[in-house]
C-alpha cells in the first residue's frame, strides 16, 4: 500500500502516520524527520537545510528529490510506504511520479487532512516532539504521561524551533502558495480523498482505515 499523507503543517500527518505504521507494518517516510536528523547530526545536508527550516521556508526541491529517491529504494519499502510531508511542490510531485514509475510502485491514494488555520495554529503552538523517535505530543490535547518524557521510548520531548509563532505563520503561507496546488494535481489523477482532520485522533484514524480497506 503506497500512501501520501497530505495536509498543512499541524494537520495530524505525523500522528496518523505513526498509527498506520503500527497497523499496517509499512514505514513512515517523513522528510521533516529526515531533515531534522541531519540537522542534529550536523551533516552537510543538515547544515544546508537548517536556515530554511528555522524560517519555515521549504528546503530546495533538488535536495528533497535526492532524499526521497534514496529512501524509497530501501528494502523496507517493498510492501509499501507512507509519505509524510513529501511532496510539497509540483516539481517534487513530478519527480516522485518518475521515481515510482521506475520502481513500479504507483501511489494508491493521497489522504488530504483538512483542518482550518485557527486550529492548526492552536495545535502547532502546543506541539512537543520526541528527540529520539519523533513521536508527536501536544501540551493541551495529548500530553506525554510523564512530563517531558516520551511514552514510547522515554526520549526527551521538546518544542521544535519552527513551531514558534513567527515561523508558524510563514509555514502556513508557504503551504498555501507552494503546496496546496497539489490538491488539484492529485484530484485530477482521481487518487485524492479529503478527510475531516478536526475530529479526534482516533476518529480520524478510523476514517483513514475505512478508505484504506480497498488497498490492503
Ligand atoms: P503534522 O505532522 O501534520 O505537522 P502532527 O501529527 O505533528 O502534524 O500534529 C500536530 C499537533 O496536533 C501535535 O501536537 C499533535 O499531538 C496534535 N494533533 C494531531 N492530530 C490531532 C487531532 N485529531 N486532534 C487534536 N490534536 C491533534
Ligand atoms: P515537517 O516536519 O513536515 O513540518 O517539516 C519541517 C520543515 O522541513 C519544513 O518547514 C521545511 O523547511 C522542511 N521540509 C520537510 N519536508 C519538505 C519538503 N518535502 N520540501 C521542502 N522542505 C521540506
Amino acid at each position: 500500500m503506497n500512501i501520501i499523507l497530505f495536509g498543512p503543517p499541524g494537520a495530524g500527518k505525523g500522528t496518523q502516520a505513526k498509527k498506520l505504521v503500527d497497523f499496517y507494518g509499512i514505514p513512515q517516510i517523513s522528510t521533516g524527520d529526515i531533515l531534522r536528523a541531519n540537522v542534529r547530526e550536523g551533516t552537510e545536508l543538515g547544515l544546508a537545510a537548517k536556515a530554511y527550516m528555522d524560517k519555515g521556508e521549504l528546503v530546495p526541491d533538488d535536495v528533497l528529490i535526492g532524499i526521497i529517491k534514496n529512501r524509497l529504494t530501501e528494502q523496507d519499502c517493498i510492501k509499501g510506504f507512507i509519505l509524510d510531508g513529501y511532496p510539497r511542490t509540483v516539481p517534487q510531485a513530478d519527480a516522485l511520479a518518475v521515481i515510482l514509475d521506475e520502481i513500479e510502485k504507483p501511489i494508491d491514494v493521497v489522504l488530504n487532512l483538512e483542518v482550518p488555520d485557527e486550529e492548526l495554529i492552536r495545535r502547532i503552538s502546543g506541539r512537543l516532539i520526541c528527540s529520539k523517535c519523533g513521536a508527536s505530543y501536544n501540551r493541551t490535547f495529548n500530553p506525554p504521561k510523564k512530563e517531558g518524557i516520551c511514552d514510547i521510548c522515554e526520549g526527551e520531548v521538546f518544542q521544535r524551533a519552527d513551531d514558534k509563532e513567527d515561523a508558524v505563520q510563514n509555514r502556513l503561507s508557504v503551504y498555501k502558495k507552494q503546496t496546496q496546488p497539489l490538491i488539484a494535481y492529485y484530484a485530477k489523477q482521481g487518487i485524492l480523498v479529503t478527510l475531516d482532520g478536526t475530529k479526534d485522533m482516533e476518529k480520524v484514524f478510523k476514517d483513514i482505515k475505512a478508505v484504506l480497506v480497498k488497498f490492503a
Side-chain angles (χ1 to χ4, degrees), residues 5-17 28 30 36 84-85 88 113 115 119-120 122-129 134-143 160 163 171 196-205:
L5 269 178
F6 189 85
K13 302 181 294 297
T15 301
Q16 297 300 328
Q28 169 193 17
S30 158
R36 278 185 291 279
D84 160 11
R88 266 169 145 108
L113 299 178
V115 177
E119 174 66 9
L120 295 172
R122 252 173 14 117
R123 287 184 185 182
I124 296 175
S125 58
R127 170 160 60 189
L128 298 168
I129 62 163
S136 185
Y137 297 91
N138 191 285
R139 270 197 206 99
T140 316
F141 316 120
N142 178 31
R160 282 165 42 175
D163 281 350
R171 280 159 68 205
D196 178 359
T198 63
K199 296 183 186 172
D200 74 48
M201 293 171 198
E202 291 310 322
K203 288 214 180 93
V204 176
F205 187 51

Side-chain angles (χ1 to χ4, degrees), residues 179-201:
T179 308
Q180 200 156 258
L182 291 176
I183 294 179
Y185 178 103
Y186 285 118
K188 213 164 135 198
Q189 296 180 16
I191 55 172
L192 185 89
V193 175
T194 294
L195 297 171
D196 178 359
T198 63
K199 296 183 186 172
D200 74 48
M201 293 171 198

